[in-house]
Structure formats: C-alpha cells, structure tokens
Amino acid sequence: NSNEPVFISDYSRNKWGYSEKDSIVIEHCVDTDLFKYDGGHRQNVVLTVVNDYINRDYCCGYGIYKVATKDIPTRPVGDTPGFSKPANTIFELVNSYNTSSIFLNTSTVSPIPTALLEAAACECACVSTSNCLIPYIFTHNHDALLTNNPLEMKEYLKYLLKNPKDRIRLVKNARQTVLNRFGKSRFTKQWNDLFFKMKDVVKV
C-alpha cells in the first residue's frame, strides 16, 4: 500500500495511533564509516549538539542542561544565537564528537535524537535523559549513563570526566549498539524494499 505512513520507531507509530497493519517503521541510520573515532586527542569537555536550544527548552531540555553542566567544562554546538554556533560542515561536526570526551543529551520528547546516535558511533561517552525510545536502545551503565534527574546527570558527568577507563568501557559498547541496530545496510534495504513495493502502484 503506497499510502502507508513511514515512522522512525515503534514508539512514534504508537504515539500517532497507528499499528503494524497500517504503517511501516524504518529506524534511523548512522553512517558509521563517517561517524567513527579517529583515534585523536579528546578534550575533557562535555559536548552538546542542539539547534535553537533555548527556544526549544520544552523538548530539548535546555533547563536540564543548565543545571547538569553548572561549573563543568562544556562545548555546545548548534544554531542557538547567543549561546552556540553550528558546525560549518559534516566533517567539522564529526571532529566535535571526536575531540570531546563526553556527549550530553537532554531531550525530553524526541523518540531517539540522531546526535546521540552519532556521538555513540564516534565513541563519545554518552550521558542522556531516559525517555521515549532511548532506554529501549541504550542500557544504563552498559553503553550510556541514563537519568531524568538533572542533579544525578551532573554527578554522572563529573564521574566520567574523572574516570577515563570507565568511559572506554561505555563507548565500546555504545558503538556496537549503533552498529547492530542503525547500520546502513539494514536502512537501505528497508527503503529499497519499500520503493520496490511502490513501483507498480506509482506511475512516474
């Protein structure tokens, strides 16, 4: 059926009131050949990648960020006037992941933020909120540290800044999580299969 909507997750599909019978799920893809650790030096800073962070506090968690990162070295990236600037190129963005020790995600309603997956693929130690689809992809203390408490989040950031050996354990598991679930081959096959189904229905 060419009219079936496509969602990025079961979570999103359920929220919109659809089922497996009348919709399709094709989860995100991360180009893990591009988003990967290059083995270079990492600065002991906490990276965030969010556009319009302040105005989108309701869904991006800027208030959570302010509490969690107080007195902690940070590197915000994103188009947020007066706060941060976006990366000029995709390669500059990858470099931001590769030169930061920790990635912080404070989203409150996003099913699964792409930046979180990119950071994990680049073996950046991830601290994140635990909502929507996130706790179904990442496991606390296995491939990320998860919490919805800003003060607890702050303690996780401080701990990881001081414990590089534990960061290594988390990041190896995190990259494997992304490879297993969000690889290009699965993503392209699902879309190609969908387009093949549609070719006899849609006249070009």
Side-chain angles (χ1 to χ4, degrees):
N1 185 345
S2 62
N3 294 319
E4 290 177 325
V6 179
F7 294 95
I8 63 169
S9 68
D10 287 320
Y11 176 89
S12 301
R13 174 165 64 186
N14 294 338
K15 284 292 184 181
W16 282 93
Y18 285 83
S19 68
E20 293 182 13
K21 296 179 180 179
D22 55 10
S23 61
I24 298 168
V25 168
I26 300 180
E27 291 188 325
H28 281 318
C29 164
V30 175
D31 184 350
T32 52
D33 294 326
L34 174 63
F35 288 93
K36 62 181 180 181
Y37 180 42
D38 62 8
H41 174 70
R42 291 190 186 273
Q43 297 177 12
N44 225 19
V45 296
V46 176
L47 172 70
T48 51
V49 179
V50 187
N51 289 323
D52 203 15
Y53 209 170
I54 297 171
N55 290 330
R56 297 197 300 150
D57 180 25
Y58 73 97
C59 65
C60 295
Y62 178 72
I64 297 172
Y65 170 88
K66 294 299 288 183
V67 173
T69 61
K70 185 178 180 182
D71 300 323
I72 288 178
T74 59
R75 174 183 288 163
V77 173
D79 187 5
T80 303
F83 176 70
S84 64
K85 295 181 179 180
N88 292 313
T89 66
I90 191 70
F91 304 104
E92 187 176 306
L93 176 61
V94 171
N95 185 64
S96 294
Y97 291 126
N98 277 328
T99 55
S100 304
S101 296
I102 301 168
F103 179 80
L104 174 63
N105 169 63
T106 60
S107 67
T108 56
V109 297
S110 176
I112 180 62
T114 303
L116 177 59
L117 300 178
E118 293 172 347
C122 289
E123 299 183 36
C124 199
C126 295
V127 176
S128 174
T129 45
S130 182
N131 52 46
C132 301
L133 196 62
I134 294 169
Y136 296 96
I137 294 172
F138 293 95
T139 302
H140 177 65
N141 206 32
H142 172 69
D143 47 15
L145 297 181
L146 308 178
T147 180
N148 290 320
N149 184 321
L151 293 178
E152 189 172 37
M153 188 175 282
K154 183 181 183 71
E155 292 305 310
Y156 290 160
L157 295 176
K158 290 166 62 177
Y159 173 81
L160 289 176
L161 286 170
K162 295 178 181 178
N163 293 274
K165 288 184 179 179
D166 219 17
R167 292 203 303 262
I168 293 173
R169 174 182 64 84
L170 289 173
V171 301
K172 297 301 181 184
N173 292 334
R175 179 166 171 82
Q176 194 59 51
T177 294
V178 175
L179 288 170
N180 290 345
R181 186 159 178 174
F182 299 99
K184 288 188 294 183
S185 59
R186 183 272 310 162
F187 182 79
T188 53
K189 182 181 185 306
Q190 284 184 289
W191 276 109
N192 284 336
D193 288 348
L194 177 59
F195 292 146
F196 184 79
K197 280 174 56 180
M198 293 171 60
K199 75 178 182 65
D200 294 327
V201 179
V202 179
K203 303 293 184 181
V204 178

